[in-house]
Amino acid sequence: MQVAVLPGDGIGLEIVPQAVKVLKVLERPGLKFDFTEAPVGGTAIDLFGNPLPEETLAVVRASGAILFGAVGDPKFDHLPQDKKPGFALRKMRQEFGLFSNLRPVTLFDALKDASSLKPEIIAGLDLLIIRELNGDIYYGTPRGITIEDGERVGTNTMRYTESQIERIAHVAFQAARTRRGKVCSIDKSNVLETMGLWREVVTAVGKQYPDVALTHQLVDSAAMMLVRNPTQFDVMLTPNLFGDILSDQASMLTGSIGLLPSASMGEGKFGLYEPIHGSAPDLAGKNMANPIATILSAAMMLRHSFDLPAEADRVEAAVLKALTDGLRTGDIARKGDSVSGTREAGDIIVNALN
Ligand code: IPM
Ligand code: MG
């Protein structure tokens, strides 16, 4: 199994090695991982002057999956968008046609007191956010800053084609069939034409899935429902920008953004696996970050890219066991808990695997 390991910046450099450590424990006769590390984001700008250098793309092209950390470094804030660390992610999603971003939001029972919401509101929470990843304001043109009438004007364009909406809608309906059979599609069709088209196309695709219950929710009201009654949601289908925002919000229901994995997929098995959180420059280099989101992302990689569901289950069970036995990194610790560092948390999960 060829894995491109792209730790990126900040805490990415600390959490990704923990996931690699976990994957190595799974090796057995007939199952071997071949890890090739490559720079991305700010680290790549420092080395090559480019957030996604050709050298890194070559490593990725030779791999079956990408294990990704995080990108972003405030020292590059002054650069134009297509030179900043985050561009690497936007470019890679486009270059490899990764249009479908799966962000499962599940509550670990052991952490029900770590959430900022009351335990009775989040009990049983099991939500899958399916975020479109190749369209919307992230890629639409025109974009940029121009001068008009002597002042600067910033422009970005929300744009979706019917076929982009159709293919992500199919992903959501198919996922719902393996779950509780419900899709809630998010838009802002009361104000935006693009989002009116989104609602129309999702509704049309939904006709092919009469066994799945489809509802629509405006994004503002969905943000409210997510904290009022989050367990009503099964699959939440979102455009790119709204999914970015709602998935950070949803992560807090589980106690910490440091727990949430994601998979970015195209039509085939190739995928990019990353925690949904960022590079957290304030935590970087302190052995304080929670590696669980990255370790769970590696589990998604085993399941979706390498057809190793039993190994994926094993990793998830080990995380569950470690948390149940009391593993707490700083983000999920409460007063009086003993707090583990990043490396120690990785070791505890490795032990739970054995
Ligand atoms: C995410 C991140 C990225 C995004 C950034 C780093 C470009 O926030 O994956 O959620 O906005 O998509
Ligand atoms: Mg985000």
Side-chain angles (χ1 to χ4, degrees):
M1 313 282 151
Q2 302 282 343
V3 182
V5 178
L6 275 48
D9 307 324
I11 60 170
L13 298 162
E14 297 165 73
I15 53 182
V16 168
Q18 305 314 312
V20 169
K21 200 156 84 178
V22 165
L23 289 171
K24 281 191 176 146
V25 179
L26 299 172
E27 292 191 332
R28 52 173 162 77
L31 173 57
K32 201 161 156 12
F33 297 103
D34 206 341
F35 298 105
T36 311
E37 194 170 321
V40 71
T43 309
I45 300 176
D46 281 335
L47 287 169
F48 295 97
N50 177 350
L52 186 60
E54 197 43 53
E55 288 79 353
T56 297
L57 280 169
V59 169
V60 169
R61 286 198 193 97
S63 305
I66 307 170
L67 184 60
F68 195 94
V71 287
D73 186 329
K75 82 177 183 204
F76 299 116
D77 279 352
H78 64 283
L79 294 176
Q81 286 300 344
D82 61 354
K83 300 267 186 304
K84 280 200 214 300
F87 179 74
L89 211 42
R90 205 150 49 86
K91 178 81 189 155
M92 214 151 24
R93 290 167 178 171
Q94 186 179 42
E95 178 85 16
F96 299 104
L98 305 172
F99 66 88
S100 149
N101 187 209
L102 314 179
R103 299 189 161 187
V105 184
T106 42
L107 181 70
F108 291 103
D109 221 38
L111 295 181
K112 57 180 188 295
D113 297 317
S115 172
S116 40
L117 294 191
K118 297 189 193 88
E120 64 267 27
I121 302 275
I122 49 166
L125 176 74
D126 178 12
L127 153 71
L128 176 62
I129 298 180
I130 298 194
R131 170 187 175 199
E132 201 289 329
L133 215 50
N134 272 184
D136 205 341
I137 199 159
Y138 276 58
Y139 296 96
T141 50
R143 64 184 295 150
I145 295 176
T146 49
I147 307 277
E148 283 171 37
D149 298 329
E151 65 171 342
R152 289 181 302 158
V153 180
T155 305
N156 289 95
T157 304
M158 178 180 267
R159 184 174 190 277
Y160 266 115
T161 63
E162 284 186 271
S163 54
Q164 281 177 321
I165 303 169
E166 262 165 27
R167 64 181 183 177
I168 194 69
H170 281 290
V171 174
F173 287 112
Q174 278 159 22
R177 278 188 168 161
T178 69
R179 298 169 49 93
R180 300 194 303 280
K182 295 198 288 183
V183 171
C184 180
S185 171
I186 307 302
D187 62 49
K188 186 70 186 171
S189 56
N190 55 340
V191 179
L192 304 168
E193 286 79 1
T194 320
M195 292 289 95
L197 181 67
W198 176 278
R199 187 174 287 214
E200 214 181 276
V201 174
V202 171
T203 304
V205 174
K207 300 259 188 289
Q208 299 172 43
Y209 299 84
D211 50 319
V212 176
L214 170 64
T215 53
H216 302 274
Q217 194 79 238
L218 297 172
V219 62
D220 48 352
S221 127
M224 184 265 292
M225 294 311 267
L226 254 185
V227 287
R228 192 170 92 171
N229 176 15
T231 55
Q232 69 180 286
F233 296 111
D234 177 17
V235 173
M236 189 181 254
L237 166 63
T238 77
N240 202 347
L241 179 64
F242 298 159
D244 179 45
I245 299 165
L246 291 178
S247 58
D248 270 32
Q249 187 190 344
S251 74
M252 279 317 292
L253 304 173
T254 68
S256 167
I257 194 169
L259 297 167
L260 255 59
S262 83
S264 303
M265 312 295 299
E267 302 285 359
K269 293 267 168 203
F270 179 81
L272 182 154
Y273 301 87
E274 57 167 337
I276 78 154
H277 61 71
S279 58
D282 51 322
L283 288 184
K286 298 183 180 156
N287 193 40
M288 280 172 72
N290 186 345
I292 290 179
T294 315
I295 292 170
L296 292 175
S297 300
M300 292 186 88
M301 175 178 92
L302 296 170
R303 186 172 288 117
H304 296 287
S305 282
F306 296 136
D307 286 320
L308 293 166
E311 278 75 8
D313 288 348
R314 251 186 90 194
V315 171
E316 287 163 359
V319 169
L320 184 64
K321 177 174 190 317
L323 289 171
T324 307
D325 291 350
L327 166 62
R328 296 291 182 273
T329 40
D331 55 327
I332 49 176
R334 296 200 308 161
K335 247 217 204 97
D337 286 343
S338 94
V339 174
S340 297
T342 308
R343 283 188 298 276
E344 293 69 32
D347 291 338
I348 290 170
I349 293 167
V350 163
N351 282 333
L353 262 177
N354 290 326

